[in-house]
Amino acid sequence: MSTPAWLGLPEGRAVVQALQQGRLDAAAEGMRALLVGFPDEPALLYNFAVVASDLGRLAEAVVAYRRLAEVSAPFRARAVAGLLRAAQRSGRFAAIEAATREAAQFLDAGIETIDDLQILKFFAYRRVFVPALDRFGPRLERRIAELLGIRKQPAAPRRARPARLTIGYLSSCFGDHPIGHVTRDLFAVHDRQRFRILGFSGRDRSAEAAPYAGIIRSGFEALHEIGSLAPAAAAARIAAEGVDILVALDQHMDWQGTTSSPEILALRPAPLQLAWLGVAAGTGLPAIDYLLADAVTVPPGEEALYAETVLRLPGCYHCASPHVIAVPEARELPGMGIVFAAFNNIEKIDREAFEAWMAILRAVPDSMLWLTNQRRLAITETNLRLEAEARGVAGERLVFAHRLADKSAHLARHAHADLLLDTFTINASTTALDALWAGLPVLTRHGTRFPARLAETFLHSLGLDELVAPDNEAFTRMAVALATDPARLAAVKARVRAAVATGPLFDIAGFARKLEALYDGIWAAPG
């Protein structure tokens, strides 16, 4: 494939340099100028749309994605995927629903003709956020397996259990990432007399600010950087280390990775391969033998929904590393009413959850909804406030927090909230764990699929099933009841603090013992 002409121009080289340096505004302006001379160049349109979306210039991104879909059939899958991502960042539910319908129509018409593995993985992951795309899961998984050349094969023969079973953890998130946050202390507390614990990192995070990358690295006997290797070389490195059980923490979440875990797992570098944590769903990859869950996230009777063999940990399948909580700073939120927090990823918010939240705000005068806007996109805040006003709630009652680099400070600000309201299609995961650890009650709704049962399994493990609503109406009613009864709310907060202090959810050493028993069990099982 020839190099696009625009890349040979000084302006094109300046754009490349700006992208490499993370100067997205400069890159976007450079690409917009180049599009005057090259209006239909697919790579230029695509890169401009991606950067514009990341900057919150969503209208420009949508125009570029639309043009891309018109001029380039090979890029159409990327255009449809980009339109969905832009819509989910917009805070406009009509746009989200329209983009979802367009994506569903596109996938329905020809998943089997898509050759872009990265975008197939994107949709396989995005269906966790968008239940309307769930029905495409089996077809996406089959197409991914076909492109990777995977056929279902029996697990490789296993040797007799050595004195130390070698466990390899595979992830690009061994640092300041939700996966790094919850597993920070896990690897170090494994029983080193019986297990050899190795890490295989798809992204070098050694230059990250303390503390995550350094603590996680020190928890492994060795952390191998494989992000610069081709999948075959990465798989060979894992095999050369004699890994007995390879635990993939990212799965399709790593859809953008150059050394993505599905490509490595397809080569079966370990006799047993297990998916856990990163994606609250199955992978459908024939090369993955097991999916780690629990009795809440995958209840008995749902095993047939997954290509992998479902393994259930006793209690909760998720781990959680305790963190230091800073002294809370003075409250800077407006007013003195009840504060409902909703610190979930903005992309998890859909119309159904938002409607429930607005019903709660209407029923609790002077209350506010405290959301998070990690990307700091002004358009998202504007649109969500407009959505609130369309439902009879003043826009200023929505307050937005931004990401804090210091996790202890983020945990401390939970002291200014009264109740965390969950999203429905995909629950809070690390967000819910943060809230519970900080003593903030989490109210969730019973879900009908794995990603919609995450907060429920956390609460169940703590004996707090009273905070799991059976349906939307009950969710609204329970939130209002707690917010309007200070004594009852205080009692619930006390029960949360007691359950967290004495329950199993944040017992990282106890969790490691459960994992080790599971590893022993699958190694001893007949091949």
Side-chain angles (χ1 to χ4, degrees), residues 2 11 42 64 91 220 231 239 243 256 265-266 282 333 355 365 384 393 415 430:
S2 60
E11 297 88 343
F220 292 115
V243 171
Q256 290 179 300
L265 295 160
L333 295 169
E355 296 274 11
L384 283 173
V393 175
T430 306

Side-chain angles (χ1 to χ4, degrees), residues 23-80:
R23 295 183 293 112
L24 297 189
D25 283 304
E29 290 309 310
M31 286 187 283
R32 187 163 65 171
L34 284 165
L35 282 167
V36 174
F38 302 90
D40 295 335
E41 211 297 310
L44 184 58
L45 278 166
Y46 176 68
N47 281 287
F48 173 74
V50 170
V51 172
S53 180
D54 286 346
L55 289 171
R57 292 159 57 170
L58 300 183
E60 293 177 77
V62 167
V63 170
Y65 280 130
R66 292 275 177 223
R67 184 61 182 164
L68 180 63
E70 291 173 3
V71 304
S72 176
F75 272 84
R76 184 153 184 245
R78 294 198 170 217
V80 173

Side-chain angles (χ1 to χ4, degrees), residues 363-437:
V364 184
D366 300 322
S367 63
M368 70 183 68
L369 182 65
W370 196 11
L371 300 119
T372 185
N373 183 8
Q374 291 192 349
R375 292 183 177 274
R376 297 174 180 256
L377 301 185
I379 188 67
T380 309
E381 298 182 11
T382 297
N383 286 336
L384 283 173
R385 287 188 171 118
L386 289 172
E387 294 281 358
E389 289 172 359
R391 291 161 177 80
V393 175
E396 60 264 26
R397 292 177 68 186
L398 273 60
V399 179
F400 291 86
H402 295 150
R403 188 179 190 277
L404 297 177
D406 183 351
K407 175 100 170 186
S408 67
H410 168 63
L411 292 170
R413 65 183 170 185
H414 285 73
H416 300 307
D418 296 291
L419 183 66
L420 188 135
L421 302 178
D422 204 4
T423 42
F424 297 159
T425 58
I426 173 172
N427 289 165
S429 50
T430 306
T431 299
L433 294 170
D434 287 347
L436 291 168
W437 178 246

Side-chain angles (χ1 to χ4, degrees), residues 280-340:
T283 67
L285 294 176
I288 296 185
D289 305 298
Y290 299 105
L291 172 67
L292 189 55
D294 57 42
V296 173
T297 52
V298 183
E302 292 192 2
E303 295 84 359
L305 298 176
Y306 301 92
E308 307 89 346
T309 297
V310 175
L311 297 174
R312 295 185 181 88
L313 276 177
C316 180
Y317 87 106
H318 211 290
C319 70
S321 294
H323 287 75
V324 171
I325 303 176
V327 176
E329 295 184 356
R331 171 174 164 144
E332 295 182 354
L333 295 169
M336 295 303 294
I338 286 287
V339 177
F340 296 105

